[in-house]
Amino acid sequence: LGILIKNGEALEMSEKVTTIVFDKTGTLTKGKPEVTDILGVGVNDAMVLQMAASVETNSLHPLAKAVVEKAQEHHLSLEKSIGFDTFAGKGVQATVKGTEVLIGNRVLFKEREVSWPKEVEEMLVQLEAEGKTVVFIGFNQKLVGLIGIADTLKETTKSSIQKFKAMGLKIVMITGDNVRTAQAIARQIGIDVVRAEVLPQEKASE
């Protein structure tokens, strides 16, 4: 079945398990995110995607790959970026054609004190309620767009979780995603306990 049992003790301990904590991306989901929405804010959608992909081409993150693939689908030429920097679990930054491009999550943009109007917040809430991860795009400290990205569940996820619950096990999902997106996905699966907005280095201690 492709299961490696580390040692006899691990097998003996398995009957004492009360709780299973699952990571989301690539474990409960396929780990192949796809861009579903591009929403420019005062900037056209193509420009948002092109500039974002020009920065994300430097990154190996699954969300970054999804953005680059979408730009390639639209036959957008990627520009050269300089000064690429990454912020673990939050986003990335680089300069493209003299514009400082910031790409990341809500936490990063709040840290940088980048604000957005009420109508953008409404679009954002809608995307998150659909279980999509929203990537924020900023040019020179100003929000210019949102990119919605969806990662589909593995076909076996729901039935596996149901079987674990039938065994009386408590199931927890842990993710770096924001709370609204995480809860929407957890509802689809049937998971009641969610730990969201957890940075990669904090997952083990959580």
Side-chain angles (χ1 to χ4, degrees):
L1 293 172
I3 299 168
L4 176 68
I5 295 165
K6 199 172 178 182
N7 54 39
E9 189 185 5
L11 198 56
E12 286 172 12
M13 281 174 65
S14 66
E15 71 165 346
K16 295 174 185 162
V17 168
T18 57
T19 305
I20 305 180
V21 183
F22 287 100
D23 193 26
K24 178 176 74 69
T25 306
T27 303
L28 299 172
T29 67
K30 290 181 179 176
K32 290 182 182 170
E34 291 178 10
V35 171
T36 53
D37 306 83
I38 304 157
L39 304 168
V41 180
V43 173
N44 71 55
D45 298 355
M47 169 71 85
V48 169
L49 181 58
Q50 181 193 31
M51 294 289 268
S54 296
V55 173
E56 294 286 34
T57 192
N58 298 289
S59 174
L60 297 172
H61 194 282
L63 297 184
K65 285 184 180 175
V67 171
V68 173
E69 281 171 13
K70 195 67 174 178
Q72 289 167 343
E73 266 178 45
H74 286 261
H75 306 292
L76 298 173
S77 59
L78 302 189
E79 304 289 342
K80 191 170 186 291
S81 65
I82 56 169
F84 179 78
D85 199 3
T86 181
F87 315 102
K90 295 176 189 173
V92 295
Q93 178 182 301
T95 301
V96 180
K97 294 194 294 185
T99 300
E100 186 185 86
V101 182
L102 185 67
I103 304 171
N105 57 19
R106 193 191 281 262
V107 175
L108 181 63
F109 273 64
K110 283 194 170 169
E111 280 179 4
R112 296 298 181 91
E113 297 179 348
V114 179
S115 59
W116 49 87
K118 188 171 176 239
E119 56 269 26
V120 173
E121 180 66 25
E122 286 167 3
M123 290 192 292
L124 177 58
V125 167
Q126 178 60 38
L127 290 171
E128 290 174 347
E130 292 167 7
K132 293 169 183 172
T133 300
V134 182
V135 176
F136 292 64
I137 316 296
F139 293 172
N140 299 325
Q141 287 292 107
K142 184 172 185 286
L143 184 82
V144 295
L146 304 173
I147 295 179
I149 301 179
D151 187 4
T152 49
L153 293 176
K154 288 180 180 174
E155 291 83 356
T156 52
T157 295
K158 284 188 192 176
S159 60
S160 299
I161 296 303
Q162 282 169 359
K163 285 175 184 172
F164 281 129
K165 287 171 90 171
M167 292 163 70
L169 293 165
K170 182 178 175 184
I171 307 296
V172 181
M173 184 178 85
I174 195 164
T175 177
D177 247 333
N178 77 85
V179 175
R180 198 177 286 109
T181 300
Q183 286 177 339
I185 291 166
R187 274 196 299 274
Q188 290 174 33
I189 302 169
I191 293 177
D192 307 315
V193 185
V194 178
R195 293 283 180 270
E197 295 176 17
V198 181
L199 295 173
Q201 63 271 26
E202 293 172 355
K203 285 185 178 177
S205 58
E206 187 76 29

